[in-house]
Amino acid sequence: MGKVYVFDHPLIQHKLSFIRDKNTGTKEFRELVDEVGTLMAYEITRELTLEETIIETPVSKATCNILSGKKLGIVPILRAGLGMMDGILKLIPAAKVGHVGLYRDPQTLQPVEYYVKLPSDVEEREFILVDPMLATGGSAVEAVNSLKKRGAKHIKFMCLIAAPEGVKVLQDAHPDVDIYIAALDEKLDEHGYIVPGLGDAGDRLFGTK
Ligand code: URA
């Protein structure tokens, strides 16, 4: 069963409150999502492994630590996932970036992939799949399917706000994928919006309606 980690850092929680506020306009919303992306990247990278190396300082040799292990790949789910990308890349600038685009089939209401582009060394990378909202879980499950179909073996899912329903759907479908969130909200409403949530993340990021 995938574990759920809630990033309760005070700065993340503070900024998330203003992201939720319906009176926060597009510019500020975008800036705050970007900042929380950076802070969440800081938290999620706590688990990266280090290896010792010898560095020569101006004074002497020193045994220091540098990152080792798998290289990272960041994959925003289009389009709202793009809002967290730059913030994440500020901390992990060398990460490769993939994209997954999904649309909802009007008949089945299921997400269908229309665009996937990943780094070539998929099997070697540790992927962080990014979407601000984990609502029904349908898109998250399909996006993980898209990555796994192409050989990805190590995937984490990161979002701002999750609904319990979406967490369960993702955990059931992909028990190997851990979930990293800033808040676990109450429920979904009858339209599939997270309550209390923040509204439509894509529309608020891009100023569309
Ligand atoms: N997607 C959003 O952008 N908001 C929700 O509340 C649910 C899904």
Side-chain angles (χ1 to χ4, degrees):
M1 181 66 67
K3 294 197 191 76
V4 179
Y5 298 92
V6 182
F7 291 147
D8 58 359
H9 190 291
L11 283 175
I12 295 177
Q13 295 305 317
H14 174 82
K15 289 172 192 290
L16 182 61
S17 302
F18 292 97
I19 289 172
R20 288 182 186 276
D21 189 336
K22 68 176 183 183
N23 295 314
T24 299
T26 303
K27 175 179 177 287
E28 202 187 343
F29 185 90
R30 203 179 281 151
E31 288 166 357
L32 287 164
V33 170
D34 180 83
E35 288 166 15
V36 171
T38 304
L39 293 167
M40 292 188 77
Y42 180 77
E43 294 283 12
I44 206 169
T45 49
R46 267 178 200 286
E47 296 168 6
L48 294 182
T49 52
L50 294 168
E51 66 185 8
E52 285 190 350
T53 187
I54 306 295
I55 301 282
E56 279 198 47
T57 78
V59 179
S60 74
K61 287 190 176 171
T63 305
C64 298
N65 295 307
I66 56 169
L67 292 172
S68 67
K70 298 206 183 328
K71 300 228 165 63
L72 293 176
I74 315 298
V75 182
I77 301 178
L78 302 177
R79 73 183 157 143
L82 292 174
M84 297 174 76
M85 271 308 303
D86 286 349
I88 296 170
L89 289 175
K90 275 181 202 139
L91 274 198
I92 325 171
K96 296 269 169 74
V97 177
H99 293 89
V100 175
L102 305 167
Y103 71 89
R104 189 184 291 264
D105 183 298
Q107 251 86 53
T108 65
L109 301 181
Q110 293 306 306
V112 181
E113 91 178 26
Y114 67 85
Y115 182 80
V116 180
K117 185 80 181 173
L118 301 176
S120 53
D121 51 353
V122 176
E123 295 188 11
E124 316 307 324
R125 286 200 179 255
E126 170 108 36
F127 285 99
I128 304 175
L129 189 58
V130 186
D131 199 353
M133 310 300 273
L134 177 57
T136 62
S139 300
V141 167
E142 194 50 37
V144 174
N145 286 341
S146 297
L147 263 61
K148 286 187 174 174
K149 251 191 283 178
R150 290 164 178 82
K153 299 202 164 26
H154 309 278
I155 303 169
K156 295 174 174 173
F157 184 85
M158 187 166 103
C159 70
L160 294 180
I161 301 177
E165 296 90 330
V167 168
K168 180 165 184 341
V169 166
L170 182 55
Q171 283 178 323
D172 288 349
H174 296 292
D176 57 314
V177 174
D178 288 340
I179 302 170
Y180 299 81
I181 62 182
L184 181 62
D185 274 11
E186 201 182 307
K187 60 175 183 182
L188 292 179
D189 72 9
E190 63 278 19
H191 305 293
Y193 279 99
I194 297 178
V195 180
L198 53 72
D200 187 300
D203 280 347
R204 295 198 63 192
L205 273 168
F206 297 109
T208 48
K209 193 82 184 113

